Amino acid sequence: MNILKIISTAVLLILGSGHAYADVDLPTKFSNQGSIGNTRHNLTQRQASGGGPNGVNMDPYRNDYVEVCVYCHTPHGAATTVSLPLWNRTMKATSYTTYSQLGTTSLTQPVSQPGINSLSCLSCHDGQTAVDSIINMPGSGRYLASQEASQNDAFLNAWTNTRGPDAGVHGKLSLGECLSCHNPAAGFVGAGAPDFTIADIGTDLRNDHPVGIVFPPSSGPGTDFNTPAGVKGTTRYFDSNGNGNMDSGDVRIYDTAGAVKVECASCHDPHGVPSAGPGTTFKPTFLRVTNTGSALCLTCHIK
Ligand code: HEC
Ligand code: HEC
Ligand code: HEC
Ligand code: HEC
Ligand code: HEC
């Protein structure tokens, strides 16, 4: 399924170009304020509060479920084999090349395959599974248990887009799929589509901050790491405001198979974290702590 084959049917290419900036968000038409519905993680590509990007550009390439949460969560019929909250996504078994395979000698802790928390993100960001590949589509009788482990295009094709053309393909975050347009090399077909190449993480994690890595058991003054003193269930967190709650702005270390490990959502909250209290613009790149002055890094590292 190559999107390029049907690109001639693409509609409404809007002129413009994306540039990447350090320490701020990539240019976006979403307001990045108030709700995940106003961020890039709204996979309907139609801003919940009105305005925003023109989602009809994307309709041929992914189902528009009209709802925001459903691309990741479902109230019923959620995945039963993964411990993620009411998880609605296909989790394709995938083997990753880990950071440890870089041959680094400075790591003191073991690195494993990404833990379940990281796999939630990688279910889109590794480019192996369509962004619209879910177990339970909105409405009754649109559930397929086997979707939990493998993407079934016939099932996904049964969906009818109500706000634009039906999806002819179910695009992944990879070259030749969503990146047919979201890529500076895309030429005119990609006109107006922001560059997403950096978010196409793939299955080789050697050039990414290690995930599935054990947090050093020895921490605090005199060591290389601060101590995540907050404890919630099996997760530990840095209680940035000292209120005893694990807030979305608190960096956290997840319990993965009995060991506390750094995973994707240690640093990121996929729902967005307000920068200065409710209703304010979200911190860039879904980060829990804005990285100005490397504040995110220095939450864990003593350097
Ligand atoms: C045919 C080209 C094309 C393809 C293929 C395509 N897009 Fe887009 N996409 C666009 C264009 C053009 C825009 C800009 C719309 C606008 O500015 O109103 C856009 C905008 C977006 C935005 C909003 C960007 C922002 O923050 O303002 C997201 C998110 C997005 N696309 C995701 C996807 C995903 C996910 C896929 C694959 C399932 C995909 N796109 C496939 C052309 C495409
Ligand atoms: C792009 C995927 C994605 C979307 C869309 C999404 N979530 Fe989540 N959500 C996650 C992930 C991943 C976790 C697990 C995070 C963790 O383990 O810290 C989560 C956790 C949660 C949790 C439990 C932990 C917490 O942070 O409170 C709630 C509640 C939740 N989501 C509600 C929602 C609602 C409501 C929506 C829609 C308005 C939504 N989510 C949309 C990915 C998503
Ligand atoms: C349902 C698919 C899906 C899931 C699950 C998902 N993402 Fe995304 N994410 C996207 C899409 C689509 C975009 C927009 C295109 C892009 O920037 O690559 C995006 C963008 C991002 C961005 C860039 C935002 C920006 O403004 O530059 C970050 C950071 C991100 N995701 C992190 C995460 C993390 C961390 C998780 C897991 C906790 C996660 N994502 C889960 C689909 C997903
Ligand atoms: C140790 C903290 C940390 C962890 C763990 C982490 N990230 Fe990030 N991530 C960042 C920071 C900081 C940025 C901001 C942009 C930058 O500096 O590249 C970022 C940026 C991104 C982006 C936007 C593209 C970019 O490079 O700007 C995506 C997508 C993303 N992360 C996804 C993930 C996924 C998926 C995982 C798990 C496999 C993950 N991140 C794990 C800190 C982290
Ligand atoms: C959630 C805690 C946490 C955050 C936040 C964090 N790190 Fe790390 N980082 C770790 C852990 C744990 C290790 C593994 C340490 C070890 O094995 O000795 C690590 C390893 C590293 C390494 C060493 C890799 C090697 O090959 O030895 C570097 C460099 C690094 N982090 C940089 C950063 C930067 C830069 C940031 C901010 C963008 C950051 N870290 C944010 C926890 C974190």
Side-chain angles (χ1 to χ4, degrees):
M1 129 178 76
N2 187 337
I3 283 178
L4 281 170
K5 287 188 192 139
I6 62 157
I7 225 97
S8 54
T9 65
V11 285
L12 290 176
L13 296 177
I14 294 169
L15 292 175
S17 69
H19 301 277
Y21 302 96
D23 262 322
V24 293
D25 251 332
L26 291 167
T28 177
K29 286 193 173 174
F30 285 106
S31 68
N32 269 335
Q33 207 169 337
S35 161
I36 186 174
N38 301 328
T39 74
R40 282 207 175 142
H41 274 164
N42 178 341
L43 281 323
T44 71
Q45 278 92 33
R46 289 167 170 92
Q47 181 159 269
S49 61
N54 189 344
V56 79
N57 288 287
M58 258 60 62
D59 284 335
Y61 312 106
R62 52 99 193 91
N63 291 342
D64 173 11
Y65 295 125
V66 185
E67 299 174 12
V68 180
C69 314
V70 75
Y71 292 86
C72 293
H73 306 286
T74 175
H76 304 285
T80 52
T81 54
V82 298
S83 77
L84 285 168
L86 292 172
W87 199 241
N88 199 22
R89 295 197 51 74
T90 301
M91 301 294 272
K92 182 181 173 188
T94 304
S95 175
Y96 297 88
T97 309
T98 66
Y99 185 85
S100 60
Q101 287 160 283
L102 201 57
T104 172
T105 53
S106 43
L107 282 180
T108 64
Q109 302 302 316
V111 182
S112 63
Q113 288 289 308
I116 186 61
N117 172 271
S118 297
L119 293 178
S120 74
C121 314
L122 291 166
S123 73
C124 285
H125 285 280
D126 70 2
Q128 302 294 300
T129 306
V131 300
D132 64 357
S133 187
I134 59 175
I135 303 163
N136 189 11
M137 301 194 285
S140 294
R142 296 180 181 277
Y143 165 81
L144 184 66
S146 62
Q147 270 285 111
E148 205 169 316
S150 65
Q151 179 181 332
N152 179 328
D153 281 1
F155 168 71
L156 298 175
N157 284 340
W159 182 259
T160 302
N161 282 349
T162 53
R163 301 189 285 198
D166 283 352
V169 293
H170 304 282
K172 304 167 183 167
L173 273 179
S174 60
L175 284 172
E177 305 245 336
C178 302
L179 269 60
S180 299
C181 294
H182 289 280
N183 179 345
F188 82 95
V189 291
D195 178 7
F196 289 165
T197 44
I198 191 126
D200 167 21
I201 290 178
T203 59
D204 186 344
L205 306 179
R206 285 178 298 179
N207 61 350
D208 301 294
H209 188 285
V211 292
I213 185 158
V214 172
F215 193 81
S218 161
S219 61
T223 73
D224 279 340
F225 283 89
N226 292 312
T227 303
V231 178
K232 186 174 182 208
T234 49
T235 300
R236 295 175 57 196
Y237 63 99
F238 290 95
D239 193 0
S240 54
N241 58 5
N243 70 352
N245 287 327
M246 189 169 77
D247 305 313
S248 62
D250 292 343
V251 171
R252 59 204 58 190
I253 326 284
Y254 290 89
D255 185 313
T256 304
V260 279
K261 295 182 180 180
V262 177
E263 305 289 356
C264 306
S266 293
C267 299
H268 297 278
D269 181 334
H271 313 97
V273 181
S275 53
T280 56
T281 311
F282 291 136
K283 296 171 187 173
T285 27
F286 297 117
L287 290 174
R288 295 193 185 275
V289 171
T290 305
N291 208 18
T292 307
S294 295
L296 172 67
C297 317
L298 293 170
T299 303
C300 291
H301 290 273
I302 301 178
K303 282 285 175 246

